[in-house]
Amino acid sequence: MEIITEETGESPKQVQRYITLTNLIPELLQQLDDELISFNPAVELAALKENEQKELIEAMDYAQSVPSLSGTKDEETE
């Protein structure tokens, strides 16, 4: 990780957060790529189990919303 932090200029903590994103299911990763989910909420969602992430996707599709950082307020998708 030291080499990556030196080459990118990112802090070790930030590099670890990027690595954490690899735990996202493809649907959530795509929403991150499409900027429907912000970086910080995506890192938090990556801590969920795969089945929990799938349930979240289903709920988001049903409610047509995406999680916010606070988790208490949803932003409607366009």
Side-chain angles (χ1 to χ4, degrees), residues 28-48:
L28 287 174
L29 189 56
Q30 185 62 52
Q31 288 193 8
L32 175 63
D33 289 343
D34 293 342
E35 298 181 357
L36 297 173
I37 298 176
S38 299
F39 181 80
N40 289 330
V43 171
E44 298 297 322
L45 295 175
L48 296 174

Side-chain angles (χ1 to χ4, degrees), residues 43-61:
V43 171
E44 298 297 322
L45 295 175
L48 296 174
K49 296 176 185 173
E50 183 176 338
N51 67 315
E52 294 171 328
Q53 291 182 36
K54 288 179 180 179
E55 289 176 11
L56 176 64
I57 285 288
E58 290 175 13
M60 288 167 48
D61 287 345

Side-chain angles (χ1 to χ4, degrees), residues 15-26 28-29 32 39 42-43 45-48 50 53:
V15 170
Q16 185 59 47
R17 294 178 66 173
Y18 283 118
I19 293 170
T20 299
L21 294 176
T22 63
N23 295 324
L24 287 174
I25 61 173
L28 287 174
L29 189 56
L32 175 63
F39 181 80
V43 171
L45 295 175
L48 296 174
E50 183 176 338
Q53 291 182 36

